[in-house]
Amino acid sequence: MPTLLVQNLPGGAISVPPGATLLAAIQAAGHDWLHACGARGRCTTCRVQVVRGLELLTPPTGPELRYRAAGRLLSTERLTCQSYLPAGEVAGRVPEATKLPHVAYTG
């Protein structure tokens, strides 16, 4: 099964079931992840900084492309509510701007 390793979250790799967004997989693994718009691609709070395997994710969606054009989403970032991982392993990090105060992040 495809996996997502969020390097600054405890707990190791997260399995990403077929048809599940990265956000759904993160939540199913028991992690609290910021998503202010309710996972509808209307904000950038659920973004992840991808450090390895960006090419393995599904292509950027319309909302992601609009946020990139507006300078609100870097080319190495994806919205977890819009991204799917058909195969392989992706590694990423929670950006400083979207860290939750009650979550114990690692180095």
Side-chain angles (χ1 to χ4, degrees):
M1 183 174 297
T3 57
L4 170 65
L5 176 62
V6 182
Q7 296 175 338
N8 55 349
L9 275 183
I14 299 166
S15 295
V16 182
T21 63
L22 296 183
L23 178 60
I26 291 165
Q27 291 176 318
H31 296 288
D32 198 5
W33 193 276
L34 187 60
H35 58 289
C37 73
R40 292 179 293 234
R42 294 182 180 161
C43 69
T44 60
T45 60
C46 75
R47 69 186 180 267
V48 62
Q49 294 172 334
V50 181
V51 296
R52 186 178 71 248
L54 184 64
E55 71 283 356
L56 299 174
L57 295 169
T58 52
T61 63
E64 289 176 299
L65 294 173
R66 284 192 296 279
Y67 287 125
R68 280 187 186 169
R72 294 185 57 200
L73 192 67
L74 299 175
S75 62
T76 56
E77 294 179 323
R78 293 295 305 271
L79 299 182
T80 61
C81 73
Q82 301 287 298
S83 302
Y84 296 84
L85 178 59
E89 180 180 296
V90 168
R93 298 184 62 76
V94 180
E96 286 296 321
T98 60
K99 286 184 176 178
L100 295 168
H102 64 277
V103 174
Y105 296 95
T106 60

